[in-house]
Amino acid sequence: MSDIPTVLVHQHDGFVEIVLNRPDRLNAFTKQLHAELLAALKAADGDEGCKAVLLTGAGRGFCAGQDLTERVFVDGEVPDLSENLVERYNPLISFIRHARVPVVAAVNGVAAGAGASLAFACDIVIAAHTAKFMQAFAKIGLIPDAGGTWTLPRIAGDARARAMIMLAEPVSAELAVQWGMIWKVVDDALLHDEAVATCRRLAALPGSATALAKRALLGSSGNDLDAQLTLEAELQRQAGEHPEYRLAVEAFRRKG
Ligand code: LHQ
């Protein structure tokens, strides 16, 4: 356990910025980073004044996945990798997808292994021109985890996901945007400003609708059309009951 925080939290007006802070290890995940990241996300989601989370990495990387130096191999011992996933990665990815707040990933450099899966789990992904995404697992004899086999085929398409996974091929930010895997690519120097502007836009919108839209989108990945139509009707009922809907419509009418 390091005394240096592995996650930095900056409060802004209407949103929270969370910075993965192990720059010497390209912000690779340790148990401590997992604990601090999930705690920061839960605090942001539980804070009514927080309308978005900006997630980024300190230094030249976004996140290099699991810290490969954390595991010590003992002769004769067969590791159970599922433990780490069940206890840490799975709750983290599930939390992001189920959270009320939208999470904007500002991918400032390489996103590898579970670090790429982390980016793919976020709601809006903006990458620096020099960033890249890599399902590095094949190189170390593993399969993608942290939701990578669920998110990647959905955002990249099956053919591209298969090649990325089986070849551990890095995909540039430019290509990722061309493929529709991410929202935007910007010059490295503009990344932070662009992510802040995106969080401010989210903060200015009715947050109740954003939260319900997240739920609808999550449902769409498992539902057939009729089930999704039913879900939309239910969530729209909830949206209509919220005072933010009435206030927004009345403001629109006053303008017109
Ligand atoms: C690192 C790491 C790292 C520690 C760079 N750990 N130090 C979950 C749970 C259960 C089971 C297992 O799986 C998982 C999920 C996973 O995420 S497994 C996949 C883990 N990640 C990887 O395999 C990626 C490993 N890293 C790399 O391939 C390269 O470092 C990339 C392509 C990310 C970046 O390459 P470069 O830009 O050339 O940087 P570098 O390799 O020189 O790294 C800089 C430093 O960061 C270096 O340390 P040093 O002391 O030499 O400066 C690296 O050792 C360290 N680092 N990734 N995952």
Side-chain angles (χ1 to χ4, degrees):
M1 187 85 169
S2 154
D3 288 344
I4 302 165
T6 57
V7 160
L8 305 174
V9 178
H10 305 295
Q11 302 288 338
H12 296 265
D13 190 19
F15 72 97
V16 169
E17 179 174 355
I18 299 176
V19 184
L20 307 177
N21 189 39
R22 300 188 69 232
D24 295 349
R25 302 276 114 198
L26 303 180
N27 304 312
F29 276 107
T30 55
K31 285 181 187 165
Q32 183 181 350
L33 188 144
H34 265 293
E36 291 178 7
L37 177 56
L38 190 57
L41 286 165
K42 283 185 175 171
D45 198 54
D47 170 5
E48 290 260 313
C50 174
K51 307 282 283 294
V53 168
L54 192 172
L55 178 65
T56 193
R60 72 176 177 89
F62 175 71
C63 177
Q66 173 61 30
D67 188 314
L68 296 173
T69 66
E70 205 178 40
R71 172 166 300 282
V72 180
F73 288 96
V74 178
D75 278 349
E77 194 187 65
V78 180
D80 179 355
L81 299 186
S82 72
E83 236 171 59
N84 194 4
L85 295 174
V86 171
E87 284 173 22
R88 298 178 193 87
Y89 286 91
N90 296 1
L92 170 68
I93 299 302
S94 180
F95 187 82
I96 291 172
R97 282 279 156 162
H98 287 95
R100 168 189 65 82
V101 280
V103 181
V104 176
V107 181
N108 52 303
V110 66
S117 301
L118 173 67
F120 301 152
C122 293
D123 295 287
I124 296 179
V125 182
I126 305 170
H129 189 75
T130 57
K132 58 185 175 184
F133 300 85
M134 186 181 176
Q135 289 286 340
F137 305 87
K139 286 193 173 178
I140 53 167
L142 297 179
I143 66 156
D145 53 27
T149 58
W150 190 87
T151 47
L152 191 58
R154 285 173 166 79
I155 60 174
D158 189 69
R160 287 161 176 162
R162 277 172 196 266
M164 275 183 78
I165 288 168
M166 291 178 193
L167 302 172
E169 178 92 354
V171 167
S172 67
E174 209 69 62
L175 199 52
V177 86
Q178 268 180 42
W179 286 358
M181 282 170 55
I182 62 171
W183 170 234
K184 255 186 198 180
V185 56
V186 295
D187 285 347
D188 291 30
L190 300 179
L191 178 68
H192 189 258
D193 285 355
E194 184 66 33
V196 165
T198 304
C199 287
R200 289 205 176 115
R201 279 178 64 185
L202 288 163
L205 288 163
S208 53
T210 311
L212 291 169
K214 278 192 71 158
R215 281 174 59 192
L217 288 165
L218 189 60
S220 82
S221 49
N223 282 341
D224 62 20
L225 175 63
D226 289 336
Q228 189 64 11
L229 289 170
T230 304
L231 179 65
E232 284 176 358
E234 166 54 22
L235 295 175
Q236 198 70 297
R237 184 186 62 72
Q238 293 180 31
E241 285 169 1
H242 201 282
E244 282 185 309
Y245 164 63
R246 176 180 284 216
L247 287 171
V249 173
E250 283 171 356
F252 180 82
R253 282 200 174 154
R254 275 198 301 277
K255 270 195 297 183

